[in-house]
Amino acid sequence: MLRLYFDEDSMHRGLTQALRARGVEVLTALDAGMIEREDQEHLEYAKEQGYVLCTFNVGDFYRLHSEYLVRGQRHTGMIFMQQQRFSVGEQMRRFLRLIANRSADEMENWVEFLSAWG
């Protein structure tokens, strides 16, 4: 099962609690003591700990994804979310669909958009 790391911009308490209640391993930047860190630090932390990074910050993290690929570096995957587009319940359902259909191996060096899992 995928393990999810929410950066500080995306760590909505209601969503993380709902996912945890359904058995999903969730770690937030707050839990990890990673508040006010650079984007690359979040990505590296998620990789080191074996978590898929979840974020609203599509532009900066997609750039990092591309840079990693060009340099032959690996990351444990990213899930991009859109701020205030879906309710907490809808986000949770989309995450659960994604988790049920993607393994950690399939997420390596991969980007998913939560909006595609409706």
Side-chain angles (χ1 to χ4, degrees), residues 5-53:
Y5 172 77
F6 288 81
D7 72 355
E8 63 190 287
D9 294 331
S10 66
M11 54 183 194
H12 187 281
R13 186 174 180 188
L15 176 59
T16 58
Q17 286 179 334
L19 290 168
R20 285 175 176 147
R22 283 151 184 86
V24 178
E25 189 172 339
V26 172
L27 183 67
T28 68
L30 183 62
D31 299 332
M34 293 289 292
I35 299 298
E36 295 184 13
R37 300 288 183 96
E38 297 294 321
D39 294 339
Q40 187 162 354
E41 291 178 87
H42 286 287
L43 186 56
E44 282 298 313
Y45 181 82
K47 179 177 87 171
E48 290 166 6
Q49 303 301 315
Y51 285 84
V52 174
L53 183 130

Side-chain angles (χ1 to χ4, degrees), residues 37-80:
R37 300 288 183 96
E38 297 294 321
D39 294 339
Q40 187 162 354
E41 291 178 87
H42 286 287
L43 186 56
E44 282 298 313
Y45 181 82
K47 179 177 87 171
E48 290 166 6
Q49 303 301 315
Y51 285 84
V52 174
L53 183 130
C54 303
T55 186
F56 292 133
N57 187 351
V58 176
D60 291 337
F61 279 101
Y62 198 87
R63 179 186 48 76
L64 281 172
H65 166 71
S66 298
E67 289 172 5
Y68 272 53
L69 295 181
V70 167
R71 292 191 305 249
Q73 291 179 283
R74 64 175 276 294
H75 62 76
T76 46
M78 299 180 205
I79 300 171
F80 294 139

